[in-house]
């Protein structure tokens, strides 16, 4: 697991490094907790003891796991174990950190564990030569791994090592073994992590309360103290587990012949939750936080593209082109529809008009089989923000581009989006030699959209936006999204006054339950029945917000879903979706823009 070690200049410390993935060590992939591959706590013990032996501090005095290490699918994780310089007594503090191999430069390392190493190993009284122990009563283990899987611990073959358990008073005795195919790799470890983990499966194996507790989350080890290793490479173990207190045991570990292997003064277990695992999966990696960046791309020369192979239309009406093809003209390989000169006001009617025009264009294009080998290029001007802060000049065709992009996803390779600025007076043939579905020209530079991780730190001040004194309005509050957002505002952002809006208000299914739940979280909830697309009704609602709790934020989550492939859409269906989004958003914007809002959030 650790591939390199180096002494640190001027500090007396050591750095151990390695790369882990679910595939690099087969046994790691067998440790699945609540749907994610987690490095087991016993692996951290193995790492720490190995480092301790290398630096002359063989005993693991303490180890506390702070965050699970989730191993993402298909991506390796860089590991660093830093051991600090020894103090006067020889104690060394250490920490274990990780970061994805594909992490961007600004992404932080995540600290998973901290602890202390000390010189020497502890003497131990007792042995496990007599086996099974005298006066111990067998405990059934059949079905254990099925029950654990139901609780969220989906162990693979290497971790299913518990073979037998006996109880004697407050002691449990466990026999564990690696599967035969893993015997050879046991010698690569001081104490194979899967083997030590399997020994802990005996905790409470004969107690029904164990599984009641597991309903709230599976038990995993998180704190260790007093770990000493006496022998290495065992493939089978005899283990004595002595209960110290609820959720904590001490361990005496021997090999299959009863010879001492290890001892643990204490290991404490606690329940893991799905939220903790999800948080660990994203900690420091921001796997779900991406933003769109427009990246310059080189434009090749395009001698093979000639003007006679193009058709340029300014109206979006294909009828003249179709007539020309009917009359024997060749089918052009590229048809450019130039809406770049269209001046669209920023109102809902303009949005409807633009989307209707583009819908008709795309449907006509895709329905004519003669154009199956040609590309349709939609040209706009200032309808997308390709440079941060430049804004969107043509809001109507920004919406139309969204419709066009949906058509692109259904018909890859046949549709291209191109947005120009004032530096581009015409469409350069070289642009269309690029194999890109979407391009923008800014200041003579050609850019294509790329997904990039959000730099760490951006968005982390969001919780400071609200101070709890003002009111936040949430539209579509009885929908699934609206309810989640309302709870998030209260729990994560400290909002204490919510104005929740839907067409039916408090009469909508689930409204009373949501209000009750938010009240339990400390929020005061006011419900309102309002069609936010109705400007007069919205103005009246906003006028009802108490002066002592002024409106400080708007979250527009309302919407109507009417999905369909592009060929099945109609202007009427598009309008039905646009009204609660566009009309309502414009109303909210215009009626609140002078209120000094701290946040104005729109969901697509």
């Amino acid at each position: 697991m650790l591939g390199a070690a180096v002494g640190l200049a001027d500090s007396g410390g050591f750095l151990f490094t390695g790369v882990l993935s679910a595939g690099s060590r087969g046994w790691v992939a067998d440790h699945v907790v609540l749907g994610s591959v987690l490095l087991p706590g016993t692996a951290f013990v193995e790492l720490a003891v190995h480092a301790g032996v290398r630096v002359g501090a063989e005993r693991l005095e303490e180890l506390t796991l702070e965050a699970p290490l989730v191993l993402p699918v298909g991506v390796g994780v860089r590991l660093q174990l830093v051991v600090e310089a020894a103090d006067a007594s020889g104690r060394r503090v250490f920490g274990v950190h990780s970061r994805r191999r594909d992490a961007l430069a600004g992404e932080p390392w995540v600290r998973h564990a901290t602890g202390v190493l000390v010189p020497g190993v502890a003497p131990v009284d007792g042995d496990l030569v007599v086996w099974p122990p005298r006066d111990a009563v067998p405990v059934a283990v059949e079905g254990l791994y099925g029950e654990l899987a139901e609780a969220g611990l989906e162990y693979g073959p290497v971790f299913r090592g518990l073979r037998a358990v006996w109880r004697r008073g407050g002691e449990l005795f466990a026999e564990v073994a690696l599967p035969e195919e893993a015997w050879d790799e046991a010698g690569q470890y001081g104490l194979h992590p899967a083997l030590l983990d399997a020994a802990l499966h005996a905790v409470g194996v004969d107690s029904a309360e164990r599984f009641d507790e597991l309903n709230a989350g599976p038990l995993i080890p998180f704190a260790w103290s007093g770990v000493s290793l006496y022998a290495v490479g065992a493939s089978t173990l005899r283990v004595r587990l002595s209960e110290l207190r609820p959720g904590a045991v001490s361990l005496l570990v021997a090999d299959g012949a009863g010879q001492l292997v290890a001892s643990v003064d204490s290991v404490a277990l606690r329940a893991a939750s799905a939220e903790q695992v999800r948080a660990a999966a994203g900690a420091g990696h921001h796997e779900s936080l991406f933003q769109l960046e427009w990246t310059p791309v080189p434009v090749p020369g395009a001698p093979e593209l000639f003007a006679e192979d193009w058709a340029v239309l300014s109206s979006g009406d294909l009828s003249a082109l179709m007539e020309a093809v009917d009359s024997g003209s060749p089918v052009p390989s590229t048809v450019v529809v130039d809406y770049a000169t269209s001046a669209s006001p920023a109102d809902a009617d303009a949005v409807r008009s633009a989307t209707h025009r583009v819908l008709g264009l795309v449907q006509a294009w895709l329905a004519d089989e003669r154009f199956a080998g040609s590309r349709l290029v939609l040209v706009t001007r200032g309808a997308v923000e390709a440079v941060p802060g430049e804004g969107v000049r043509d809001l109507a065709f920004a919406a139309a581009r969204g419709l066009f992009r949906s058509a692109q996803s259904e018909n890859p390779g046949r549709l291209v989006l191109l947005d120009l600025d004032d530096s581009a007076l015409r469409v350069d043939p070289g642009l269309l030699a690029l194999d890109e579905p979407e391009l923008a020209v800014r200041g003579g530079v050609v850019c294509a959209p790329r997904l990039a991780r959000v730099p760490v730190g951006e968005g982390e001040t969001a919780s400071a936006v609200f101070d709890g004194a003002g009111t936040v309005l949430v539209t579509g509050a009885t929908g699934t999204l609206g309810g989640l957002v309302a709870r998030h505002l209260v729990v994560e952002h400290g909002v204490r006054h919510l104005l929740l809006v839907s067409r039916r208000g408090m009469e909508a299914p689930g409204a009373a339950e949501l209000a009750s739940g938010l009240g339990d979280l400390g929020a005061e909830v006011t419900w309102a029945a309002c069609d936010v697309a109705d400007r007069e009704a919205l103005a009246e609602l906003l006028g009802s917000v108490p002066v002592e709790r002024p409106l400080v934020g708007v979250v527009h989550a309302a919407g109507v879903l009417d999905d369909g492939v592009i060929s099945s859409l109609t202007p009427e269906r598009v309008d039905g979706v646009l009204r609660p989004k566009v009309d309502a958003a414009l109303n909210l914007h215009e009626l609140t823009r002078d209120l000094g809002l701290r946040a104005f959030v729109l969901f697509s």
Side-chain angles (χ1 to χ4, degrees):
M1 292 189 291
L2 295 174
V6 61
L8 301 177
D10 300 328
S11 74
F14 285 81
L15 170 65
F16 298 83
T17 63
V19 176
L20 292 177
S21 71
S24 63
R25 301 282 174 180
W27 57 267
V28 175
D30 280 359
H31 190 259
V32 179
V33 178
L34 297 169
S36 295
V37 177
L38 261 63
L39 190 70
T42 52
F44 288 96
V45 171
E46 172 70 18
L47 292 168
V49 171
H50 170 78
V53 170
R54 293 288 299 272
V55 303
E58 301 85 356
R59 178 175 165 84
L60 178 59
E61 185 175 76
E62 61 182 68
L63 168 67
T64 302
L65 298 182
E66 299 179 353
L69 200 171
V70 175
L71 297 171
V73 177
V75 180
V77 172
R78 298 186 188 278
L79 202 66
Q80 287 191 358
L81 192 160
V82 179
V83 182
E84 297 181 7
D87 65 13
S89 66
R91 297 173 76 255
R92 291 178 179 265
V93 175
F94 70 89
V96 183
H97 298 72
S98 82
R99 191 169 76 163
R100 287 170 57 119
R101 294 191 74 177
D102 63 351
L104 302 179
E107 293 185 14
W109 290 77
V110 177
R111 190 172 73 183
H112 297 282
T114 57
V116 177
L117 296 162
V118 298
V121 294
V124 176
D125 292 329
D127 63 64
L128 297 175
V129 175
V130 177
W131 197 258
R134 294 187 181 93
D135 304 323
V137 178
V139 177
V141 298
E142 292 79 8
L144 170 66
Y145 287 107
E147 292 177 301
L148 289 174
E150 291 178 1
L153 287 170
E154 303 173 59
Y155 290 126
V158 180
F159 280 83
R160 295 188 170 215
L162 189 62
R163 298 291 183 261
V165 175
W166 296 265
R167 176 176 286 281
R168 185 176 65 192
E171 296 176 323
L172 286 171
F173 298 88
E175 185 173 287
V176 296
L178 292 173
E180 187 173 349
E181 58 271 19
W183 286 357
D184 289 342
E185 71 177 23
Q188 301 173 20
Y189 302 91
L191 180 52
H192 197 294
L195 201 57
L196 182 55
D197 193 89
L200 295 173
H201 302 171
V203 175
V205 71
D206 59 343
S207 171
E209 286 77 10
R210 167 182 171 81
F211 296 103
D212 289 339
E213 186 174 4
L214 286 176
N215 288 333
L219 291 175
I220 58 175
F222 79 97
W224 302 73
S225 63
V227 180
S228 294
L229 184 67
Y230 308 103
V232 302
S235 58
T236 61
L237 297 179
R238 299 174 179 179
V239 184
R240 185 186 71 198
L241 302 94
S242 303
E243 185 175 15
L244 301 174
R245 58 188 180 278
V249 296
S250 65
L251 304 178
L252 181 65
V253 183
D255 62 17
Q259 301 302 308
L260 197 60
V261 169
S263 64
V264 179
D265 290 347
S266 173
V267 54
L269 301 95
R270 68 180 176 190
S273 69
E275 290 75 15
Q276 290 172 320
V277 174
R278 283 194 295 267
H285 309 320
H286 295 278
E287 291 182 290
S288 63
L289 290 179
F290 288 83
Q291 64 187 5
L292 199 65
E293 291 185 355
W294 289 82
T295 303
V297 292
V299 179
E304 71 280 4
L305 293 176
F306 298 97
E308 58 267 24
D309 199 29
W310 283 31
V312 180
L313 310 175
S314 59
S315 65
D317 185 358
L318 294 177
S319 57
L321 175 61
M322 293 177 175
E323 290 177 3
V325 173
D326 289 340
S327 300
S329 297
V331 176
S333 65
T334 301
V335 175
V336 177
V337 177
D338 190 353
Y339 287 125
T341 59
S342 299
S344 302
D347 60 41
D349 288 337
V351 171
R352 277 185 277 275
S353 175
T355 51
H356 291 175
R357 291 169 68 184
V358 170
L359 176 63
L361 169 69
V362 172
Q363 287 180 331
W365 175 265
L366 296 175
D368 195 323
E369 294 183 356
R370 295 174 296 179
F371 300 127
S374 304
R375 289 182 302 168
L376 177 67
V377 181
L378 179 69
V379 181
T380 57
R381 192 178 297 275
V384 66
E385 187 178 63
V387 175
E390 72 172 355
V392 175
R393 188 166 63 187
D394 192 340
L395 290 171
F397 272 95
R401 283 170 57 90
L403 179 73
F404 194 87
R405 193 178 295 109
S406 293
Q408 281 183 318
S409 68
E410 298 173 22
N411 302 273
R414 297 191 61 188
L415 304 170
V416 178
L417 277 169
L418 175 60
D419 192 82
L420 307 177
D421 66 359
D422 293 335
S423 71
L425 302 178
R426 63 183 180 85
V427 178
D428 189 325
L431 295 176
L432 302 181
L434 292 168
D435 185 19
E436 296 282 352
E438 190 171 355
L439 293 166
V441 178
R442 295 294 185 268
V445 178
V446 181
C447 303
R450 299 287 187 262
L451 278 182
R453 282 199 181 94
V454 175
V456 174
E458 287 190 17
E460 291 187 358
T461 59
S463 60
V465 170
F466 305 109
D467 59 11
T471 298
V472 177
L473 183 153
V474 180
T475 72
T478 53
T480 301
L481 177 60
L484 289 170
V485 168
R487 291 185 181 90
H488 181 76
L489 287 168
V490 174
V491 174
E492 301 295 338
H493 297 275
V495 173
R496 289 296 172 261
H497 306 287
L498 287 169
L499 175 55
L500 303 184
V501 179
S502 70
R503 293 178 65 91
R504 296 176 58 188
M506 194 65 177
E507 301 301 317
E513 292 81 357
L514 177 60
S516 175
L518 293 171
D520 292 341
L521 295 172
E524 178 183 318
V525 176
T526 301
W527 276 100
C530 179
D531 178 2
V532 186
D534 183 332
R535 186 183 179 89
E536 292 184 2
L538 177 61
E540 183 178 351
L541 173 65
L542 294 175
S544 69
V545 177
V547 175
E548 65 272 18
R549 297 194 302 273
L551 193 69
V552 295
V554 168
V555 179
H556 182 37
V560 169
L561 183 66
D562 190 9
D563 280 346
V565 294
I566 201 73
S567 60
S568 72
L569 296 184
T570 64
E572 293 74 22
R573 291 181 68 182
V574 171
D575 290 350
V577 173
L578 289 178
R579 187 176 187 277
K581 279 299 178 188
V582 175
D583 295 65
L586 284 169
N587 288 342
L588 287 164
H589 162 61
E590 292 168 359
L591 293 174
T592 65
R593 60 182 163 190
D594 296 326
L595 299 182
L597 297 183
R598 298 181 181 181
F600 189 89
V601 181
L602 304 176
F603 281 89
S604 170

